[in-house]
Amino acid sequence: MAQTTREYGEWPLKRLMTEVVGSGHKSADDMDRGQAREAFQRILDAEPDETTLGAFWLANRWKRNSPEELAAFVDVMREESVETGVPSADPVDCGANYDGKGDSAILGVAAGVVAAAAGTPVVVHSGDRVPTQKQDAYKHVLDELGVRTELSPGESADMVDDAGFGFYYQPEFNPGVADLYDRRDAMGVRTFVNTVETLANPADADVHLGSFYHLAFAKRMVRTLTRSETNPASRALFFQGMEGYDDVRPGSTVVAEWPSDDEAADEEGILDYEIGTADYGMDVESEDLEVDDVAADSAAITEEVVAGEREDGFADAVALNAALRIYAREDVASIEDGLDEARAAIDDGSAAAVLEDLRAF
């Protein structure tokens, strides 16, 4: 993707390392928007020396990127790499970690299918064995289910409109970031690319649903969305996910919702609160949702849950995750109402019909 005709500014990555971000965790400065934009433009163009690029990524990992920097990266990515495919429906954009899960079932396919059956369109997106974990992600569960995944953005949009659920494949809609695979793999640790790729929003959705390990990161992601000039999301719901994925963690789980006019919300309209998943019927431990083969077992669980053939912890977890997607889009007034809608979509056969539509697409 090297572009020899581009004229850059005055901030090559080596200078940014020396003068801004590379002086250590406590003394490093943040880049301004222009510096961050130029940095990611150079990266997408494969302009930096490989050693300098690795050092730059590591320095940013040490210092932690500000929302302003992350928003600049998102904007460059969406302007110069992302090809959107916008469906007629306005789906919930589910941005799980692209490098996947290794121990517990991926429930987002089943949850998305159930939510779609209840009238809430859902979009998911991932790559294929993305660094650093290179584990099973959305693509691999759908492959096991016999659903087409290597789609152009336009085909993905058609899938959403045909079935209510759509998958977008990173090498097709975000080739510039996909081309960074080897450099990211050589790093051995996650970089800010792992963060911003989840905000690619290839369907231009108004609602984003994501996950976090710590509440501070969820608030940073919301602030990134508010500062982005290209990501159209105007509402977001983040929760503590299993293995950092967008499958809600059993137990006492923190949720961050934006925007909120609740009096407990902060000055930026971010409301955080805890839910007890057992109060919503998900009375299991994290260990109960572990599987031996993440892709294959998740696919089998998806088939059985949407067909109404399971009444165990997996079925409860899928229903609650579907409810959160329905609630995120404000198609219901509460998570409890979303749970009722999700269970009804399973019971009346609508969820199984959506899965069949996906297979037939």
Side-chain angles (χ1 to χ4, degrees), residues 185-196:
D185 192 27
M187 281 295 297
V189 295
R190 287 174 172 159
T191 71
F192 62 72
V193 181
N194 291 80
T195 300
V196 300

Side-chain angles (χ1 to χ4, degrees), residues 21 25 28-31 59-66 69:
V21 302
H25 178 63
D29 293 323
D30 292 332
M31 293 174 282
N60 278 272
R61 179 180 172 89
W62 282 339
K63 84 169 189 66
R64 299 178 184 173
N65 288 113
S66 69
E69 291 171 324

Side-chain angles (χ1 to χ4, degrees), residues 173-257:
F173 77 83
N174 197 357
V177 168
D179 286 348
L180 296 173
Y181 182 98
D182 290 342
R183 297 273 55 82
R184 296 170 66 185
D185 192 27
M187 281 295 297
V189 295
R190 287 174 172 159
T191 71
F192 62 72
V193 181
N194 291 80
T195 300
V196 300
E197 66 190 350
T198 67
L199 299 179
N201 195 357
D204 275 357
D206 288 332
V207 179
H208 178 79
L209 181 141
S211 66
F212 60 88
Y213 287 106
H214 305 291
L215 179 60
F217 181 77
K219 292 189 174 184
R220 190 183 313 161
M221 293 291 275
V222 169
R223 291 168 184 141
T224 297
L225 289 173
T226 64
R227 287 158 177 77
S228 171
E229 297 173 355
T230 62
N231 190 319
S234 58
R235 175 169 165 79
L237 194 74
F238 289 91
F239 53 74
Q240 285 178 307
M242 296 185 67
E243 300 184 65
Y245 221 71
D246 57 359
D247 301 319
V248 67
R249 181 187 306 174
S252 179
T253 296
V254 177
V255 178
E257 182 176 342

Side-chain angles (χ1 to χ4, degrees), residues 78 86-87 89-96 115 119-125 168 198-211 221-222 225 230-239 246 256-259 321-332:
R78 282 182 48 87
V86 183
D90 186 13
V92 176
D93 173 63
C94 295
T120 298
V122 170
V123 157
V124 301
H125 39 99
Y168 288 70
T198 67
L199 299 179
N201 195 357
D204 275 357
D206 288 332
V207 179
H208 178 79
L209 181 141
S211 66
M221 293 291 275
V222 169
L225 289 173
T230 62
N231 190 319
S234 58
R235 175 169 165 79
L237 194 74
F238 289 91
F239 53 74
D246 57 359
E257 182 176 342
W258 167 82
N321 278 282
L324 286 164
R325 285 150 174 78
I326 299 168
Y327 174 70
R329 193 171 177 264
E330 298 184 290
D331 289 335
V332 290

Side-chain angles (χ1 to χ4, degrees), residues 23-43:
S23 59
H25 178 63
K26 294 183 178 180
S27 57
D29 293 323
D30 292 332
M31 293 174 282
D32 63 32
R33 180 176 287 266
Q35 291 168 333
R37 282 185 58 89
E38 181 179 339
F40 205 40
Q41 286 171 338
R42 289 175 181 267
I43 291 169

